[in-house]
Amino acid sequence: MTERRAAVLEAFRKQIAWCERLGSPFTARLLGLLAEDIAAGGPAADLAGHWPGDPVADALALRLAGALHALVLSGEAPALAACYPPQANARADAPDAAALRAVLLARRAEIAAFLASPPQTNEVGRSGVLLGGFLEIAHRAGLPLRLLEIGASAGLNLLWDRFHYTLGDAVWGDPASPVRLAPRWTGPLPPLAAPVRVASRGACDRSPVDLRDPAQRLRLRAYVWPDQRDRLARLDGAIALALGAGSRVEPADAGDWVAARLAEPAEGQATVLYHSIMWQYMPAATRARIAGALSEAGARATATAPLAWLRFEPPQAEARPELRLTLWPGGGESLLATAQAHGQTVDWTGG
């Protein structure tokens, strides 16, 4: 076995462990079959076994799983679709290895084209974590919120205040919303009675998803794991909301965008820079520039124009993500919660 193929197989092994940990046994089994085919020199090896970059950093395993799911969702691989949830009910032995191999051979060109672009996700479930942070900011600042999201993908989490939430025995949000989030919540509740008013919404991403394009919508849906149907339903509901609202995400470098936005005055509003599970993927220089812009803007913040930095990120690789809030003036930092990466469970401390 070549060194390159060994690195690819190690990347698949790591992703399989993450899928098992995050509640997708079907995707774990699918990646296991693909890894077996790569090790044996089958059609998956032809597609991914000689990957030129870093297969972990490039999320190669997720790219290949996404390519196959896109074919299933589009109706281009009916035999494979019969092995996918909900038809297969995510059986431990699904999908069928022969059907998988046939698709890898017959659809090689489409799969290779899908692999050429990095994964693009917009996990709506993370709003179930971020909500508590927004409520804390609204409670402490008592002002309308000026929302600024980086790494926003399609901008679906810009519309967090239009979702419906069930947090333990409490509810918050629009009861008629097509997006319903009910994370398993432990600990006290955030200040649900805080008056939330959104003054404006802005977002950027280096390669934003244009929801008006059916191909880009399909790619976004393809990265939802097939046995997590509730996630797909939330995504579809959020896409419908975003299309109706005319949401747009600016194509921009996060460092440049943040520096420009934070330089703009926002008297009478609480400016909130936020992001979720993206910080680790940015270059160190970009992270440093954003931190510098926050420090400078924080020094100018006042009680009538406060600045908040809300982030849901792992403190280190493979650690449980944390929701942290820094609020200026003052620059005090709070650890509000730890949570599962997709927002399925939230352990709230409130800082």
Side-chain angles (χ1 to χ4, degrees):
M1 182 184 298
T2 66
E3 182 177 344
R4 177 65 62 183
R5 188 175 296 182
V8 167
L9 290 173
E10 176 62 14
F12 271 70
R13 184 195 66 77
K14 289 183 176 180
Q15 188 59 57
I16 288 167
W18 272 109
C19 290
E20 291 171 341
R21 192 178 308 173
L22 295 175
S24 183
F26 178 89
T27 306
R29 176 59 178 158
L30 170 67
L31 294 179
L33 290 174
L34 290 167
E36 292 172 9
D37 192 76
I38 291 170
D46 181 45
L47 283 159
H50 307 285
W51 189 254
D54 181 339
V56 175
D58 294 343
L60 176 60
L62 291 182
R63 293 190 195 204
L64 189 50
L68 293 165
H69 196 198
L71 290 171
V72 166
L73 290 171
S74 64
E76 296 295 319
L80 187 62
C83 307
Y84 268 57
Q87 289 85 350
N89 296 317
R91 296 190 310 268
D93 60 344
D96 178 74
L100 179 60
R101 182 182 176 87
V103 169
L104 291 169
L105 287 168
R107 298 288 181 171
R108 185 192 183 286
E110 295 100 310
I111 295 171
F114 194 100
L115 294 179
S117 299
Q120 184 66 284
T121 59
N122 201 163
E123 179 47 59
V124 179
R126 291 173 185 148
S127 280
V129 187
L130 292 167
L131 171 67
F134 292 123
L135 290 169
E136 283 287 342
I137 297 164
H139 174 69
R140 298 185 196 183
L143 294 168
L145 306 181
R146 176 195 180 208
L147 302 176
L148 303 173
E149 185 182 11
I150 57 175
S153 187
L156 301 183
N157 285 319
L158 270 178
L159 301 174
W160 57 270
D161 57 316
R162 302 183 187 180
F163 303 161
H164 182 270
Y165 302 83
T166 300
L167 310 178
D169 295 329
V171 295
W172 190 93
D174 180 2
S177 176
V179 181
R180 312 187 72 80
L181 301 176
R184 293 190 295 276
W185 193 277
T186 61
L189 292 171
L192 298 177
V196 172
R197 295 163 289 164
V198 176
S200 64
R201 306 171 201 265
C204 79
D205 193 282
R206 184 172 289 277
S207 300
V209 175
D210 184 352
L211 293 174
R212 297 168 297 179
D213 181 352
Q216 294 191 48
R217 291 200 304 271
L218 173 63
R219 188 175 182 85
L220 200 61
R221 299 179 77 241
Y223 276 113
V224 176
W225 292 333
D227 51 347
Q228 296 186 337
R229 307 299 292 179
D230 55 340
R231 287 180 63 205
L232 189 59
R234 290 197 299 264
L235 176 64
D236 287 342
I239 288 173
L241 278 178
L243 287 171
S247 297
R248 294 289 181 271
V249 177
E250 298 178 52
D253 172 80
D256 295 340
W257 191 83
V258 168
R261 297 292 85 75
L262 294 188
E264 299 169 350
E267 183 65 29
Q269 299 175 14
T271 296
V272 184
L273 176 69
Y274 70 102
H275 50 87
S276 56
I277 317 296
M278 58 77 68
W279 191 253
Q280 61 192 309
Y281 301 116
M282 288 195 302
T286 303
R287 295 197 298 267
R289 184 167 189 208
I290 292 171
L294 281 163
S295 179
E296 292 176 7
R300 299 190 301 268
T302 66
T304 56
L307 171 65
W309 182 22
L310 182 67
R311 62 271 194 201
F312 177 49
E313 303 286 352
Q316 63 232 9
E318 302 189 14
R320 185 173 172 82
E322 299 174 342
L323 182 68
R324 288 187 174 270
L325 170 64
T326 304
L327 190 61
W328 292 271
E333 181 177 320
S334 304
L335 172 61
L336 299 179
T338 59
Q340 189 260 10
H342 294 156
Q344 293 174 343
T345 63
V346 180
D347 300 318
W348 186 261
T349 62

